[in-house]
Amino acid sequence: MQSEVVLIHGWGMNQQVWQLVATELATELGRPVRALNLPGFGGEAQPNGSYDLDSVVEQISERIAPNSILVGWSLGGLVATKLASSKPEKVSHLVLVSSNVQFCESEQWPGIKAEVLAQFKEQLAKDSRKTIERFLAIQAMGSEHAKADIKQIKALLLQAPEPSDVALSAGLDILQTTDLRQEFSELKCQISGIFGRLDALVPVAVVEQLSELNHIFTHKVLSKASHAPFISHRQEFISYLKSVL
């Protein structure tokens, strides 16, 4: 039986964001493709007990078969990386989409400035919907058709229930505090990545750093894409996945 492709969305989103590529991917790849909601997003139940990266990974791993191909966008890539590290039997191929192994910038690692993530956390407490909208705007920043991209993502998101406040807050905590550089460097499965050169959340400099961490890692950078290449450059995204899978 062919390995299933499992698509995992990013922070503030839900599985509907994959709608435009999932069917086409299944046809092009000739294998099953399924999108999942992260816990607390899109109407999915939250973990029992604390909401942290380990509990998210536990919940997702229960819903996928061994030897799955995990395609993780942004926060979803962080979850997929941790899953590939802690449950290697579940993942035959990890594909990062505009993702990072440490989202918060440090002296040695490119990422989002700590104060930007702190601002999001602050705003989230006041108005979650507005915070997600601002996050969407940053995601599309730099894209040639930013307004159209935002409009498209918004329309897709509205097809599922809004995320829970707990999931939003915990998701930001995960982005702020997680460092999976060590885990990534030790991965033995196939690892690929597709990134946007204009991404304001995952600096393109990360790509070289990831290559140095793990020599299995292969990648493609789309010169005119931002943080959501599967929306803004759908055909290139599908072609890339077809070439690596």
Side-chain angles (χ1 to χ4, degrees):
M1 193 177 126
Q2 280 195 314
S3 298
E4 182 178 43
V5 177
V6 178
L7 308 168
I8 306 175
H9 64 82
W11 184 84
M13 308 291 119
N14 59 55
Q15 66 181 30
Q16 298 299 333
V17 293
W18 297 108
Q19 207 183 93
L20 301 173
V21 293
T23 311
E24 207 172 333
L25 262 181
T27 307
E28 290 284 337
L29 299 174
R31 61 169 84 233
V33 174
R34 179 168 54 112
L36 293 183
N37 279 318
L38 288 171
F41 292 90
E44 190 65 37
Q46 281 174 196
N48 295 323
S50 63
Y51 192 124
D52 54 24
L53 187 56
D54 289 336
S55 62
V56 170
V57 163
E58 207 52 53
Q59 198 162 314
I60 294 287
S61 77
E62 285 168 9
R63 298 164 62 201
I64 65 171
N67 295 317
S68 291
I69 295 162
L70 291 194
V71 179
W73 173 42
S74 200
L75 171 62
L78 208 55
V79 172
T81 301
K82 180 71 175 178
L83 206 156
S85 166
S86 58
K87 298 177 187 291
E89 74 287 352
K90 287 280 189 176
V91 185
S92 62
H93 193 155
L94 170 67
V95 183
L96 300 178
V97 181
S98 305
S99 192
N100 204 338
V101 290
Q102 180 188 301
F103 273 84
C104 197
E105 180 188 66
S106 69
E107 274 181 31
Q108 302 82 22
W109 198 260
I112 308 168
K113 294 201 181 305
E115 54 268 31
V116 172
L117 286 169
Q119 276 170 10
F120 271 118
K121 198 82 200 281
E122 222 173 276
Q123 288 164 350
L124 191 64
K126 297 174 193 163
D127 189 336
S128 58
R129 194 173 286 178
K130 214 173 193 169
T131 308
I132 291 172
E133 290 201 358
R134 184 171 167 242
F135 195 65
L136 275 178
I138 292 176
Q139 284 184 15
M141 217 156 66
S143 168
E144 298 166 292
H145 19 77
K147 277 186 181 164
D149 294 351
I150 294 168
K151 196 175 171 188
Q152 202 163 42
I153 296 173
K154 260 191 197 170
L156 292 168
L157 289 183
L158 290 172
Q159 294 176 22
E162 287 188 3
S164 77
D165 289 343
V166 170
L168 286 169
S169 181
L172 275 184
D173 286 340
I174 291 168
L175 289 174
Q176 275 179 307
T177 58
T178 304
D179 176 359
L180 296 180
R181 286 177 292 179
Q182 185 65 38
E183 287 87 339
F184 183 83
S185 72
E186 292 166 359
L187 289 179
K188 301 284 189 288
C189 66
Q190 202 174 339
I191 320 164
S192 311
I194 182 163
F195 301 82
R197 187 179 61 83
L198 308 172
D199 195 335
L201 295 166
V202 177
V204 74
V206 161
V207 176
E208 287 311 313
Q209 303 266 39
L210 290 171
S211 300
E212 283 173 28
L213 274 187
N214 194 319
H215 299 309
I216 299 170
F217 176 67
T218 62
H219 62 270
K220 184 177 182 70
V221 176
L222 301 180
S223 63
K224 294 188 174 177
S226 184
H227 192 63
F230 61 95
I231 298 279
S232 63
H233 294 73
R234 192 165 88 204
Q235 283 322 122
E236 289 98 315
F237 177 78
I238 289 169
S239 298
Y240 176 71
L241 280 197
K242 201 175 170 186
S243 73
V244 295
L245 302 181

